Amino acid sequence: MRPCNLTDGMISPDGVLGGNPLFYWIYGLAANVVPCWLAYVIAGGVIMLILINAVLLGAAIVSWGERRLLGRFQNRVGPNRWGPFGALQPIADLAKLITKEDIIPYGADRLAFTAVPVIMVSSLLLATAVIPFAKDVALVDLNVGVLFVLAVSSLTSIAIFTAGWASNNRYALFGAGRAVAVLISYEVPVVLSLLGVVIVAGSMSLGDIVVAQAVPFFLVQPLAFFVFLAGMSAELNRTPFDVAEAESEIIAGYHTEYSGIKFALIQAAEFGGALFVSGLIATLFLAGWAGPVADWLGWLWFLIKTFIGIFLFVWIRSTFPRLRLDQIMAVCWKFLMPLSFINLAAVVLEVYFLRDANGVLTTADLWIMAAINLVLAVVSITFFGNLIKEKVRSGSGGARSANPVTSGLPTTGTM
Amino acid sequence: MTIRTEPMTVNVGPQHPSTHGVFRVRITFDGEDIVEVEPVLGYLHRGTEKLAEERNYVQVVTLTDRLDYTSSMINNQAYCLAVEQLLGIEAPPRGKYLRTLTAELQRIASHLIAVGFFVQELGAFGTPLMYTFRSRERILDLFEMLCGARITVSYMRPGGVFSDTPPDFWPALDQFLADFEGELEEIENLLLSNEILMVRTRGVSPLPRDVAINCSVSGPVLRASGVNWDWRKIAPYDAYDQVDFDVPLGSNGDNYDRFWVRMQEVRQSLRIVRQCIAQIEPGPVRLELPMVLRAEPGAEAYGRVEASKGELGFYLVSDGGVSPYRCKIRSPSLINLTITEHLLLGWKLADMIVSLGSVDINMGEVDR
């Protein structure tokens, strides 16, 4: 049998799969015993299995970690019965959920209802595939990585709306309407803030963006980091933007009617989403796998940075109350939008003036940008923050015009 | 092109995470705006008033625990005051002080629940609630030392309280007061000037002074609308004429004011508790009364207290028998619910839950 040639027609090292060494290693091994086309399928399948297991296991760990952390924040213990420190709790939860009755409510659109958890998990898996876990270790290193991530992760809003509509439940419909409004609005500032990152890095590939961060981008573009963090907590439906599944108002929002394994999948997609977004933040703003020592420890730095992101999300969740839908919209369009425009304009100008003849930014240039942008961030966040405070405050009293509201703090009276 | 829209009717409750038990409202929404409100009550009706007619005067105390189960002590107090008025007796001073002390501790516990769930309904995931429950647990522990029960205390009796304090109660109370100072500060720092809490509650669902009076609401809801009305000041009962405290008043009657008034009342209750500790003296805690009490035929009495949710009144009529001929309960939660429509109409779905939470109803008391 003729040995398989990696470059002959089927695939090229710098093709779509971007030269993933693991893929070629498995491909080479399998090609010794099976025909080339089958080796290709096997290698692809193995990679997909690794991805699915890593993401779902990660989601399980995040769900446990989040509940433990929330417990500590809230002055209680959190899950601690099953396994050391309760670490096997996600497995117990999963075992419970898959043995539960899988209810499809009367009048629901069965196909759409069933498709939703699948779409949510698969969009998460697809998006995670392009994140570089260590130096040159991404399952796929797409040269349009940022674009791909944004496109795939916005599939979630379609899934959520489908869930709300297909459930035949009014609370779910409320949740779906809210979710779509929030997700679509927050897409805009998120994309604008990422444009700044792409401009400085000069590439849309997530791997290249990590390499470009001689100075981590959360220092170079604090405004973009802030907008991205806020936007992503809205995309993830997390406090203070969690109107889509506000459990004190609309039960569980779009997934009110989901039970059993479907609910487990939705939960996996949500916790996996937190993991994915934290990984994305680590990649785009915290210099990904780059660390103080040893490139081969890249996965460790990446994990640490990812868990910093998750910790941040849990911290925010355990502290803040929820905003109302119209206030969330106001925050998006009147606060985050101007901030992301300011950031974009500043970055474009800085890159235009600082780059050398070959269009390359040196580390010194990045530090200069960091200094300028830090001042800019403080000034503009303070300015627009005060502005939005006034707007949201005056807006909250104006919802019902028939009863004018006097302002002024209450006073203590004594008899 | 015009898009056809239609209002959507949603049953909020009786099974809903934040309707405080089994309260049910049928609400018609236009998008997120509320256009029609219809409260439906009665899911927790147990016939307490009728049951009271079947029990003797002392046994009825256990029924009052189950009215507003977050402030059982104050319910006991209102009922015992009514019976004492009916019989023409009065509790000994130490009994009065113990009642005042436990009632104020109960008020703190009840307000902590109200504030915790109010912020929970604003969407703060559990943290403020756990903080407030941490302190409430300590109060319930104190009650357990007093009478062996935490929720359904039945601590008070016509003519005083069930028994004197155990010796380790006073050190435990001092310890609680010392710890609670810091815990309360923590809660206040977390909540009182929280920006998101402010924008969600300031100016939302205001209750004008005249509407509040016309609807006969009472308690923190009334005082948040700026009406200076507190039975502890107007007609002091037990030891309230011996202690000094302020009545916090709101100015707008909005959700924030109702929340704020409760936070301030916790501080005032602490003041009262401290004064009770300083003033209380040894002595009998309960009058020597026969096992079975009888009142004059045709005697009537109305005992009222300022409960944590408003004016709680027991109207008793005697026919000379061992049990009340009629026991009418004026429960603050039910009367305070009459403003539901006024609070909710025109506001949004998210505000609805918060406004209901700011009224602080307890279904055990609404349906009786």
Side-chain angles (χ1 to χ4, degrees), chain A residues 74-75 170-171 178 248-249 318 322 324 400 406 411 413-414, chain B residues 9 11 16 18 32 121-122 125 127 134 200 247 249 252 345 351:
Chain A
Q74 296 176 354
N75 221 336
R170 288 169 189 190
Y171 289 115
R178 288 170 164 201
S248 62
E249 295 159 20
S318 64
R322 181 187 306 125
R324 210 170 46 205
R400 190 167 63 168
T406 57
T411 49
T414 315
Chain B
T9 303
N11 255 316
H16 184 279
S18 43
E32 292 246 338
E121 276 148 22
L122 276 170
F125 185 81
T127 310
R134 173 184 58 182
R200 278 298 304 278
V247 179
L249 293 181
N252 307 326
L345 274 187
D351 293 328

PDB file of all heavy atoms in Angstrom, chain A residues 74-75 170-171 178 248-249 318 322 324 400 406 411 413-414, chain B residues 9 11 16 18 32 121-122 125 127 134 200 247 249 252 345 351:
ATOM      1  N   GLN A  74     -21.716  33.250  49.560  1.00  0.00           N
ATOM      2  CA  GLN A  74     -22.996  33.404  50.240  1.00  0.00           C
ATOM      3  C   GLN A  74     -22.974  32.821  51.628  1.00  0.00           C
ATOM      4  O   GLN A  74     -24.040  32.504  52.171  1.00  0.00           O
ATOM      5  CB  GLN A  74     -24.106  32.753  49.418  1.00  0.00           C
ATOM      6  CG  GLN A  74     -24.283  33.438  48.091  1.00  0.00           C
ATOM      7  CD  GLN A  74     -25.294  32.747  47.240  1.00  0.00           C
ATOM      8  OE1 GLN A  74     -25.788  31.689  47.600  1.00  0.00           O
ATOM      9  NE2 GLN A  74     -25.601  33.331  46.105  1.00  0.00           N
ATOM     10  N   ASN A  75     -21.775  32.613  52.187  1.00  0.00           N
ATOM     11  CA  ASN A  75     -21.765  32.245  53.577  1.00  0.00           C
ATOM     12  C   ASN A  75     -22.321  30.846  53.824  1.00  0.00           C
ATOM     13  O   ASN A  75     -22.948  30.587  54.832  1.00  0.00           O
ATOM     14  CB  ASN A  75     -22.639  33.233  54.341  1.00  0.00           C
ATOM     15  CG  ASN A  75     -22.035  33.616  55.641  1.00  0.00           C
ATOM     16  OD1 ASN A  75     -21.230  32.857  56.161  1.00  0.00           O
ATOM     17  ND2 ASN A  75     -22.400  34.748  56.154  1.00  0.00           N
ATOM     18  N   ARG A 170     -45.993  30.695  28.241  1.00  0.00           N
ATOM     19  CA  ARG A 170     -45.906  32.158  28.125  1.00  0.00           C
ATOM     20  C   ARG A 170     -44.671  32.723  28.802  1.00  0.00           C
ATOM     21  O   ARG A 170     -44.123  33.725  28.365  1.00  0.00           O
ATOM     22  CB  ARG A 170     -47.179  32.783  28.676  1.00  0.00           C
ATOM     23  CG  ARG A 170     -48.312  32.513  27.718  1.00  0.00           C
ATOM     24  CD  ARG A 170     -49.646  32.846  28.265  1.00  0.00           C
ATOM     25  NE  ARG A 170     -50.658  32.334  27.327  1.00  0.00           N
ATOM     26  CZ  ARG A 170     -51.934  32.616  27.404  1.00  0.00           C
ATOM     27  NH1 ARG A 170     -52.376  33.376  28.379  1.00  0.00           N
ATOM     28  NH2 ARG A 170     -52.770  32.131  26.534  1.00  0.00           N
ATOM     29  N   TYR A 171     -44.265  32.086  29.877  1.00  0.00           N
ATOM     30  CA  TYR A 171     -43.025  32.540  30.511  1.00  0.00           C
ATOM     31  C   TYR A 171     -41.847  32.335  29.577  1.00  0.00           C
ATOM     32  O   TYR A 171     -40.950  33.174  29.477  1.00  0.00           O
ATOM     33  CB  TYR A 171     -42.790  31.788  31.820  1.00  0.00           C
ATOM     34  CG  TYR A 171     -43.738  32.174  32.924  1.00  0.00           C
ATOM     35  CD1 TYR A 171     -44.638  31.265  33.431  1.00  0.00           C
ATOM     36  CD2 TYR A 171     -43.714  33.457  33.441  1.00  0.00           C
ATOM     37  CE1 TYR A 171     -45.509  31.616  34.446  1.00  0.00           C
ATOM     38  CE2 TYR A 171     -44.578  33.818  34.448  1.00  0.00           C
ATOM     39  CZ  TYR A 171     -45.475  32.900  34.946  1.00  0.00           C
ATOM     40  OH  TYR A 171     -46.329  33.258  35.951  1.00  0.00           O
ATOM     41  N   ARG A 178     -37.085  38.542  25.477  1.00  0.00           N
ATOM     42  CA  ARG A 178     -36.053  39.321  26.157  1.00  0.00           C
ATOM     43  C   ARG A 178     -34.663  38.913  25.679  1.00  0.00           C
ATOM     44  O   ARG A 178     -33.812  39.759  25.414  1.00  0.00           O
ATOM     45  CB  ARG A 178     -36.144  39.060  27.661  1.00  0.00           C
ATOM     46  CG  ARG A 178     -37.333  39.688  28.318  1.00  0.00           C
ATOM     47  CD  ARG A 178     -37.444  39.176  29.721  1.00  0.00           C
ATOM     48  NE  ARG A 178     -38.321  40.007  30.527  1.00  0.00           N
ATOM     49  CZ  ARG A 178     -38.280  40.030  31.847  1.00  0.00           C
ATOM     50  NH1 ARG A 178     -37.433  39.282  32.488  1.00  0.00           N
ATOM     51  NH2 ARG A 178     -39.097  40.805  32.523  1.00  0.00           N
ATOM     52  N   SER A 248     -36.713  35.026  39.323  1.00  0.00           N
ATOM     53  CA  SER A 248     -37.712  35.586  40.219  1.00  0.00           C
ATOM     54  C   SER A 248     -38.878  36.187  39.441  1.00  0.00           C
ATOM     55  O   SER A 248     -39.919  36.460  40.010  1.00  0.00           O
ATOM     56  CB  SER A 248     -37.080  36.641  41.124  1.00  0.00           C
ATOM     57  OG  SER A 248     -36.588  37.701  40.356  1.00  0.00           O
ATOM     58  N   GLU A 249     -38.710  36.381  38.140  1.00  0.00           N
ATOM     59  CA  GLU A 249     -39.792  36.997  37.369  1.00  0.00           C
ATOM     60  C   GLU A 249     -40.479  35.993  36.458  1.00  0.00           C
ATOM     61  O   GLU A 249     -41.697  35.830  36.507  1.00  0.00           O
ATOM     62  CB  GLU A 249     -39.230  38.142  36.512  1.00  0.00           C
ATOM     63  CG  GLU A 249     -38.679  39.275  37.328  1.00  0.00           C
ATOM     64  CD  GLU A 249     -37.709  40.116  36.530  1.00  0.00           C
ATOM     65  OE1 GLU A 249     -37.747  40.063  35.295  1.00  0.00           O
ATOM     66  OE2 GLU A 249     -36.900  40.830  37.157  1.00  0.00           O
ATOM     67  N   SER A 318     -22.761  36.889  42.093  1.00  0.00           N
ATOM     68  CA  SER A 318     -23.149  36.789  43.492  1.00  0.00           C
ATOM     69  C   SER A 318     -23.329  38.155  44.129  1.00  0.00           C
ATOM     70  O   SER A 318     -23.752  38.242  45.263  1.00  0.00           O
ATOM     71  CB  SER A 318     -22.102  35.997  44.266  1.00  0.00           C
ATOM     72  OG  SER A 318     -20.891  36.698  44.259  1.00  0.00           O
ATOM     73  N   ARG A 322     -30.405  42.494  39.356  1.00  0.00           N
ATOM     74  CA  ARG A 322     -30.626  42.464  37.914  1.00  0.00           C
ATOM     75  C   ARG A 322     -31.172  43.803  37.434  1.00  0.00           C
ATOM     76  O   ARG A 322     -31.942  44.452  38.126  1.00  0.00           O
ATOM     77  CB  ARG A 322     -31.646  41.360  37.629  1.00  0.00           C
ATOM     78  CG  ARG A 322     -31.986  41.142  36.205  1.00  0.00           C
ATOM     79  CD  ARG A 322     -33.129  40.152  36.113  1.00  0.00           C
ATOM     80  NE  ARG A 322     -32.828  38.921  36.822  1.00  0.00           N
ATOM     81  CZ  ARG A 322     -33.600  38.414  37.765  1.00  0.00           C
ATOM     82  NH1 ARG A 322     -34.702  39.007  38.122  1.00  0.00           N
ATOM     83  NH2 ARG A 322     -33.257  37.297  38.363  1.00  0.00           N
ATOM     84  N   ARG A 324     -33.434  46.055  34.658  1.00  0.00           N
ATOM     85  CA  ARG A 324     -34.660  45.808  33.899  1.00  0.00           C
ATOM     86  C   ARG A 324     -34.323  45.835  32.413  1.00  0.00           C
ATOM     87  O   ARG A 324     -33.301  46.388  32.025  1.00  0.00           O
ATOM     88  CB  ARG A 324     -35.665  46.909  34.239  1.00  0.00           C
ATOM     89  CG  ARG A 324     -37.107  46.492  34.150  1.00  0.00           C
ATOM     90  CD  ARG A 324     -37.983  47.565  34.737  1.00  0.00           C
ATOM     91  NE  ARG A 324     -37.575  48.883  34.253  1.00  0.00           N
ATOM     92  CZ  ARG A 324     -37.801  49.999  34.909  1.00  0.00           C
ATOM     93  NH1 ARG A 324     -38.382  49.974  36.068  1.00  0.00           N
ATOM     94  NH2 ARG A 324     -37.421  51.162  34.412  1.00  0.00           N
ATOM     95  N   ARG A 400     -44.545  55.397  34.015  1.00  0.00           N
ATOM     96  CA  ARG A 400     -45.973  55.683  34.127  1.00  0.00           C
ATOM     97  C   ARG A 400     -46.153  57.165  34.342  1.00  0.00           C
ATOM     98  O   ARG A 400     -45.872  57.694  35.417  1.00  0.00           O
ATOM     99  CB  ARG A 400     -46.581  54.897  35.280  1.00  0.00           C
ATOM    100  CG  ARG A 400     -48.088  54.979  35.267  1.00  0.00           C
ATOM    101  CD  ARG A 400     -48.708  53.974  36.190  1.00  0.00           C
ATOM    102  NE  ARG A 400     -48.328  54.220  37.572  1.00  0.00           N
ATOM    103  CZ  ARG A 400     -48.908  53.623  38.601  1.00  0.00           C
ATOM    104  NH1 ARG A 400     -49.838  52.739  38.389  1.00  0.00           N
ATOM    105  NH2 ARG A 400     -48.530  53.882  39.816  1.00  0.00           N
ATOM    106  N   THR A 406     -41.942  62.557  42.822  1.00  0.00           N
ATOM    107  CA  THR A 406     -41.020  63.542  43.357  1.00  0.00           C
ATOM    108  C   THR A 406     -39.707  62.865  43.667  1.00  0.00           C
ATOM    109  O   THR A 406     -39.668  61.674  43.955  1.00  0.00           O
ATOM    110  CB  THR A 406     -41.573  64.153  44.654  1.00  0.00           C
ATOM    111  OG1 THR A 406     -41.804  63.090  45.567  1.00  0.00           O
ATOM    112  CG2 THR A 406     -42.849  64.906  44.405  1.00  0.00           C
ATOM    113  N   THR A 411     -36.645  60.797  54.407  1.00  0.00           N
ATOM    114  CA  THR A 411     -36.086  61.366  55.630  1.00  0.00           C
ATOM    115  C   THR A 411     -36.641  60.634  56.842  1.00  0.00           C
ATOM    116  O   THR A 411     -37.660  59.984  56.773  1.00  0.00           O
ATOM    117  CB  THR A 411     -36.484  62.844  55.750  1.00  0.00           C
ATOM    118  OG1 THR A 411     -37.896  62.924  55.526  1.00  0.00           O
ATOM    119  CG2 THR A 411     -35.760  63.697  54.759  1.00  0.00           C
ATOM    120  N   GLY A 413     -38.444  60.675  60.327  1.00  0.00           N
ATOM    121  CA  GLY A 413     -39.318  61.546  61.101  1.00  0.00           C
ATOM    122  C   GLY A 413     -39.362  61.080  62.542  1.00  0.00           C
ATOM    123  O   GLY A 413     -39.176  59.925  62.832  1.00  0.00           O
ATOM    124  N   THR A 414     -39.589  62.004  63.432  1.00  0.00           N
ATOM    125  CA  THR A 414     -39.673  61.637  64.849  1.00  0.00           C
ATOM    126  C   THR A 414     -40.964  62.187  65.421  1.00  0.00           C
ATOM    127  O   THR A 414     -41.393  63.276  65.061  1.00  0.00           O
ATOM    128  CB  THR A 414     -38.489  62.243  65.615  1.00  0.00           C
ATOM    129  OG1 THR A 414     -37.316  62.032  64.870  1.00  0.00           O
ATOM    130  CG2 THR A 414     -38.356  61.598  66.968  1.00  0.00           C
TER     131      THR A 414
ATOM    132  N   THR B   9     -52.442  37.064  28.625  1.00  0.00           N
ATOM    133  CA  THR B   9     -52.791  36.893  30.041  1.00  0.00           C
ATOM    134  C   THR B   9     -51.949  35.791  30.649  1.00  0.00           C
ATOM    135  O   THR B   9     -51.850  34.702  30.094  1.00  0.00           O
ATOM    136  CB  THR B   9     -54.278  36.554  30.185  1.00  0.00           C
ATOM    137  OG1 THR B   9     -55.038  37.576  29.568  1.00  0.00           O
ATOM    138  CG2 THR B   9     -54.665  36.471  31.644  1.00  0.00           C
ATOM    139  N   ASN B  11     -50.981  33.713  34.287  1.00  0.00           N
ATOM    140  CA  ASN B  11     -51.271  33.406  35.669  1.00  0.00           C
ATOM    141  C   ASN B  11     -49.981  33.459  36.450  1.00  0.00           C
ATOM    142  O   ASN B  11     -49.150  32.575  36.331  1.00  0.00           O
ATOM    143  CB  ASN B  11     -51.790  31.981  35.753  1.00  0.00           C
ATOM    144  CG  ASN B  11     -53.262  31.946  35.975  1.00  0.00           C
ATOM    145  OD1 ASN B  11     -53.763  32.698  36.797  1.00  0.00           O
ATOM    146  ND2 ASN B  11     -53.941  31.094  35.271  1.00  0.00           N
ATOM    147  N   HIS B  16     -45.262  30.016  41.817  1.00  0.00           N
ATOM    148  CA  HIS B  16     -44.328  30.906  41.143  1.00  0.00           C
ATOM    149  C   HIS B  16     -43.223  31.175  42.156  1.00  0.00           C
ATOM    150  O   HIS B  16     -43.494  31.285  43.347  1.00  0.00           O
ATOM    151  CB  HIS B  16     -45.053  32.198  40.744  1.00  0.00           C
ATOM    152  CG  HIS B  16     -44.202  33.148  39.949  1.00  0.00           C
ATOM    153  ND1 HIS B  16     -43.296  33.988  40.563  1.00  0.00           N
ATOM    154  CD2 HIS B  16     -44.111  33.391  38.625  1.00  0.00           C
ATOM    155  CE1 HIS B  16     -42.681  34.699  39.626  1.00  0.00           C
ATOM    156  NE2 HIS B  16     -43.164  34.360  38.449  1.00  0.00           N
ATOM    157  N   SER B  18     -41.654  33.623  43.199  1.00  0.00           N
ATOM    158  CA  SER B  18     -41.588  34.804  44.059  1.00  0.00           C
ATOM    159  C   SER B  18     -42.945  35.438  44.308  1.00  0.00           C
ATOM    160  O   SER B  18     -43.084  36.644  44.235  1.00  0.00           O
ATOM    161  CB  SER B  18     -40.621  35.820  43.470  1.00  0.00           C
ATOM    162  OG  SER B  18     -40.806  35.921  42.093  1.00  0.00           O
ATOM    163  N   GLU B  32     -44.370  43.888  27.700  1.00  0.00           N
ATOM    164  CA  GLU B  32     -43.946  43.725  29.085  1.00  0.00           C
ATOM    165  C   GLU B  32     -44.765  44.597  30.028  1.00  0.00           C
ATOM    166  O   GLU B  32     -44.562  44.562  31.237  1.00  0.00           O
ATOM    167  CB  GLU B  32     -42.456  44.080  29.232  1.00  0.00           C
ATOM    168  CG  GLU B  32     -41.535  43.116  28.543  1.00  0.00           C
ATOM    169  CD  GLU B  32     -40.662  42.346  29.530  1.00  0.00           C
ATOM    170  OE1 GLU B  32     -40.467  42.811  30.643  1.00  0.00           O
ATOM    171  OE2 GLU B  32     -40.195  41.255  29.150  1.00  0.00           O
ATOM    172  N   GLU B 121     -35.697  39.212  44.749  1.00  0.00           N
ATOM    173  CA  GLU B 121     -36.596  39.402  43.618  1.00  0.00           C
ATOM    174  C   GLU B 121     -36.062  40.422  42.643  1.00  0.00           C
ATOM    175  O   GLU B 121     -36.424  40.422  41.470  1.00  0.00           O
ATOM    176  CB  GLU B 121     -37.985  39.821  44.124  1.00  0.00           C
ATOM    177  CG  GLU B 121     -38.797  38.608  44.509  1.00  0.00           C
ATOM    178  CD  GLU B 121     -39.740  38.870  45.645  1.00  0.00           C
ATOM    179  OE1 GLU B 121     -40.082  40.032  45.881  1.00  0.00           O
ATOM    180  OE2 GLU B 121     -40.124  37.894  46.306  1.00  0.00           O
ATOM    181  N   LEU B 122     -35.189  41.288  43.109  1.00  0.00           N
ATOM    182  CA  LEU B 122     -34.510  42.206  42.191  1.00  0.00           C
ATOM    183  C   LEU B 122     -33.490  41.461  41.350  1.00  0.00           C
ATOM    184  O   LEU B 122     -32.923  42.025  40.424  1.00  0.00           O
ATOM    185  CB  LEU B 122     -33.794  43.300  42.976  1.00  0.00           C
ATOM    186  CG  LEU B 122     -34.625  44.494  43.385  1.00  0.00           C
ATOM    187  CD1 LEU B 122     -33.838  45.348  44.346  1.00  0.00           C
ATOM    188  CD2 LEU B 122     -35.011  45.292  42.186  1.00  0.00           C
ATOM    189  N   PHE B 125     -28.547  37.164  43.188  1.00  0.00           N
ATOM    190  CA  PHE B 125     -28.678  35.719  43.331  1.00  0.00           C
ATOM    191  C   PHE B 125     -28.256  35.260  44.720  1.00  0.00           C
ATOM    192  O   PHE B 125     -27.117  34.884  44.942  1.00  0.00           O
ATOM    193  CB  PHE B 125     -27.863  35.006  42.259  1.00  0.00           C
ATOM    194  CG  PHE B 125     -28.048  33.527  42.282  1.00  0.00           C
ATOM    195  CD1 PHE B 125     -29.153  32.958  41.679  1.00  0.00           C
ATOM    196  CD2 PHE B 125     -27.149  32.708  42.917  1.00  0.00           C
ATOM    197  CE1 PHE B 125     -29.339  31.604  41.718  1.00  0.00           C
ATOM    198  CE2 PHE B 125     -27.336  31.341  42.943  1.00  0.00           C
ATOM    199  CZ  PHE B 125     -28.427  30.797  42.348  1.00  0.00           C
ATOM    200  N   THR B 127     -27.124  36.116  47.551  1.00  0.00           N
ATOM    201  CA  THR B 127     -26.163  36.608  48.540  1.00  0.00           C
ATOM    202  C   THR B 127     -26.799  37.477  49.625  1.00  0.00           C
ATOM    203  O   THR B 127     -26.645  37.186  50.811  1.00  0.00           O
ATOM    204  CB  THR B 127     -25.030  37.366  47.839  1.00  0.00           C
ATOM    205  OG1 THR B 127     -24.546  36.561  46.785  1.00  0.00           O
ATOM    206  CG2 THR B 127     -23.916  37.670  48.804  1.00  0.00           C
ATOM    207  N   ARG B 134     -28.627  34.726  57.830  1.00  0.00           N
ATOM    208  CA  ARG B 134     -27.612  34.430  58.830  1.00  0.00           C
ATOM    209  C   ARG B 134     -27.978  35.066  60.172  1.00  0.00           C
ATOM    210  O   ARG B 134     -27.939  34.424  61.219  1.00  0.00           O
ATOM    211  CB  ARG B 134     -26.269  34.977  58.328  1.00  0.00           C
ATOM    212  CG  ARG B 134     -25.143  34.912  59.313  1.00  0.00           C
ATOM    213  CD  ARG B 134     -23.911  35.553  58.739  1.00  0.00           C
ATOM    214  NE  ARG B 134     -24.154  36.959  58.359  1.00  0.00           N
ATOM    215  CZ  ARG B 134     -23.266  37.737  57.797  1.00  0.00           C
ATOM    216  NH1 ARG B 134     -22.084  37.272  57.499  1.00  0.00           N
ATOM    217  NH2 ARG B 134     -23.552  38.982  57.481  1.00  0.00           N
ATOM    218  N   ARG B 200     -33.405  50.401  39.946  1.00  0.00           N
ATOM    219  CA  ARG B 200     -34.556  49.498  39.808  1.00  0.00           C
ATOM    220  C   ARG B 200     -35.729  49.906  40.694  1.00  0.00           C
ATOM    221  O   ARG B 200     -36.876  49.538  40.409  1.00  0.00           O
ATOM    222  CB  ARG B 200     -34.149  48.068  40.169  1.00  0.00           C
ATOM    223  CG  ARG B 200     -33.466  47.295  39.072  1.00  0.00           C
ATOM    224  CD  ARG B 200     -34.325  47.081  37.856  1.00  0.00           C
ATOM    225  NE  ARG B 200     -35.595  46.423  38.144  1.00  0.00           N
ATOM    226  CZ  ARG B 200     -35.742  45.129  38.281  1.00  0.00           C
ATOM    227  NH1 ARG B 200     -34.710  44.347  38.127  1.00  0.00           N
ATOM    228  NH2 ARG B 200     -36.908  44.604  38.534  1.00  0.00           N
ATOM    229  N   VAL B 247     -39.672  56.918  64.462  1.00  0.00           N
ATOM    230  CA  VAL B 247     -40.450  56.269  63.401  1.00  0.00           C
ATOM    231  C   VAL B 247     -39.893  56.717  62.057  1.00  0.00           C
ATOM    232  O   VAL B 247     -40.037  57.881  61.695  1.00  0.00           O
ATOM    233  CB  VAL B 247     -41.942  56.637  63.503  1.00  0.00           C
ATOM    234  CG1 VAL B 247     -42.711  55.962  62.380  1.00  0.00           C
ATOM    235  CG2 VAL B 247     -42.489  56.241  64.841  1.00  0.00           C
ATOM    236  N   LEU B 249     -39.691  57.549  58.269  1.00  0.00           N
ATOM    237  CA  LEU B 249     -40.718  57.863  57.276  1.00  0.00           C
ATOM    238  C   LEU B 249     -40.096  58.013  55.901  1.00  0.00           C
ATOM    239  O   LEU B 249     -39.031  58.611  55.754  1.00  0.00           O
ATOM    240  CB  LEU B 249     -41.419  59.171  57.639  1.00  0.00           C
ATOM    241  CG  LEU B 249     -42.261  59.184  58.898  1.00  0.00           C
ATOM    242  CD1 LEU B 249     -42.888  60.544  59.067  1.00  0.00           C
ATOM    243  CD2 LEU B 249     -43.318  58.111  58.833  1.00  0.00           C
ATOM    244  N   ASN B 252     -41.511  59.301  49.097  1.00  0.00           N
ATOM    245  CA  ASN B 252     -42.187  59.076  47.822  1.00  0.00           C
ATOM    246  C   ASN B 252     -43.143  57.896  47.867  1.00  0.00           C
ATOM    247  O   ASN B 252     -44.012  57.763  47.029  1.00  0.00           O
ATOM    248  CB  ASN B 252     -41.170  58.793  46.710  1.00  0.00           C
ATOM    249  CG  ASN B 252     -40.118  59.859  46.633  1.00  0.00           C
ATOM    250  OD1 ASN B 252     -40.390  61.023  46.891  1.00  0.00           O
ATOM    251  ND2 ASN B 252     -38.911  59.464  46.285  1.00  0.00           N
ATOM    252  N   LEU B 345     -50.459  48.481  37.930  1.00  0.00           N
ATOM    253  CA  LEU B 345     -50.965  48.895  36.621  1.00  0.00           C
ATOM    254  C   LEU B 345     -50.006  49.862  35.939  1.00  0.00           C
ATOM    255  O   LEU B 345     -49.594  50.857  36.524  1.00  0.00           O
ATOM    256  CB  LEU B 345     -52.340  49.542  36.750  1.00  0.00           C
ATOM    257  CG  LEU B 345     -53.524  48.575  36.732  1.00  0.00           C
ATOM    258  CD1 LEU B 345     -54.827  49.354  36.684  1.00  0.00           C
ATOM    259  CD2 LEU B 345     -53.434  47.642  35.546  1.00  0.00           C
ATOM    260  N   ASP B 351     -40.948  44.935  37.260  1.00  0.00           N
ATOM    261  CA  ASP B 351     -41.267  45.749  38.432  1.00  0.00           C
ATOM    262  C   ASP B 351     -42.377  45.131  39.263  1.00  0.00           C
ATOM    263  O   ASP B 351     -42.462  45.368  40.467  1.00  0.00           O
ATOM    264  CB  ASP B 351     -41.695  47.149  37.983  1.00  0.00           C
ATOM    265  CG  ASP B 351     -40.557  47.898  37.351  1.00  0.00           C
ATOM    266  OD1 ASP B 351     -39.419  47.661  37.775  1.00  0.00           O
ATOM    267  OD2 ASP B 351     -40.798  48.691  36.445  1.00  0.00           O
TER     268      ASP B 351
END
